[in-house]
Amino acid sequence: MRTLVIFSHPHLATSRVHRTLIDTIDDLPDVQIHHLEAMYPQHDIDVEAEQAACEHAGRLVFQFPFYWYSVPPLLKLWMDEVLAFGWAYGKRQQLRGKPLRLIISSGAPESAYAASGYNRFTMEELLRPLTAMTHLTGMVLQAPLILHGVPNIPGMDVTDPQMLRVEAFARQYRELLEKGLHASKGI
Ligand SMILES: Cc1cc2nc3c(=O)[nH]c(=O)nc-3n(C[C@H](O)[C@H](O)[C@H](O)COP(=O)(O)O)c2cc1C
């Protein structure tokens, strides 16, 4: 079953986390990666091509760094344009039944995402717009894979403990794709 990874990162050239993740999964068979900023530098998303790729895929992944408690802008635009009325919801639900997995990195530590933490809200609360989107489109939201506490530190050495966590997370991500994305619970 083909997996379509919708990947958004506005600054991949300076990325440590997502560069590692992409390098770890990009040789997998049956995994197609759409790096939106590389494909659509002018933000002129090819809606028909994206919809066709979604229809062809058995499951979807949204991979992104958490930006202001949300998705990066081009992933938001992708949703605005690709998940169109009459195709994703309304008369037709072309994504109905397809699993969607979120692969997210965040600069803040996990402890910050709590009522008592400095971000005040849990990830589950902050990800509600995506949960609502899957309800409306009929997609099946899988438990997200989140790597917390990875701010982008320019010039960080590959032996930094943070990079060891990134590499372990990347292996987990790869295994998830290899095994299939089936999971027991959503968020
Ligand atoms: C514009 C911007 C907004 C960000 N917003 C958040 C945020 O809301 N919460 C958070 O935990 N980290 C936030 N971060 C940190 C990024 O999520 C973090 O640097 C990224 O996950 C590291 O991945 P990378 O090495 O692939 O860039 C933000 C970073 C940028 C540049």
Side-chain angles (χ1 to χ4, degrees):
M1 187 190 284
R2 178 178 284 264
T3 302
L4 175 63
V5 177
I6 302 297
F7 169 49
S8 180
H9 195 307
H11 306 291
L12 194 57
T14 57
S15 157
R16 298 305 299 263
V17 177
H18 289 270
R19 165 64 61 198
T20 304
L21 299 187
I22 291 297
D23 287 350
T24 305
I25 65 155
D26 64 1
D27 65 327
L28 285 173
D30 280 336
V31 173
Q32 186 180 14
I33 301 168
H34 283 193
H35 178 206
L36 300 180
E37 287 77 6
M39 292 174 78
Y40 306 114
Q42 306 304 321
H43 293 196
D44 50 347
I45 293 172
D46 185 338
V47 173
E48 278 184 20
E50 293 296 319
Q51 289 178 340
C54 288
E55 287 178 14
H56 189 55
R59 52 201 171 207
L60 270 69
V61 168
F62 285 1
Q63 181 192 328
F64 57 95
F66 215 33
Y67 267 23
W68 280 109
Y69 311 111
S70 185
V71 298
L74 199 49
L75 180 51
K76 176 60 166 60
L77 186 66
W78 185 95
M79 286 190 276
D80 292 348
E81 298 191 352
V82 177
L83 304 181
F85 175 76
W87 182 82
Y89 68 101
K91 273 189 181 168
R92 288 186 301 161
Q93 283 183 314
Q94 296 297 90
L95 301 175
R96 170 159 285 284
K98 292 189 199 263
L100 172 66
R101 176 81 71 171
L102 307 176
I103 307 292
I104 306 172
S105 65
S106 86
E110 191 171 6
S111 59
Y113 288 100
S116 57
Y118 68 76
N119 283 328
R120 291 289 183 272
F121 300 99
T122 65
M123 286 300 276
E124 184 178 348
E125 289 168 328
L126 294 166
L127 292 172
R128 280 211 179 128
L130 291 170
T131 308
M133 178 274 283
T134 58
H135 285 148
L136 193 66
T137 59
M139 277 195 279
V140 182
L141 189 60
Q142 314 276 271
L145 202 60
I146 305 174
L147 180 63
H148 286 289
V150 283
N152 188 282
I153 302 172
M156 186 170 54
D157 192 75
V158 286
T159 59
D160 189 288
Q162 185 175 302
M163 276 315 291
L164 300 179
R165 287 180 57 231
V166 173
E167 279 157 18
F169 182 86
R171 284 194 296 276
Q172 203 185 342
Y173 181 21
R174 184 182 170 94
E175 280 167 23
L176 197 78
L177 293 175
E178 281 171 337
K179 273 191 288 190
L181 294 167
H182 304 294
S184 49
K185 65 185 183 87
I187 56 169

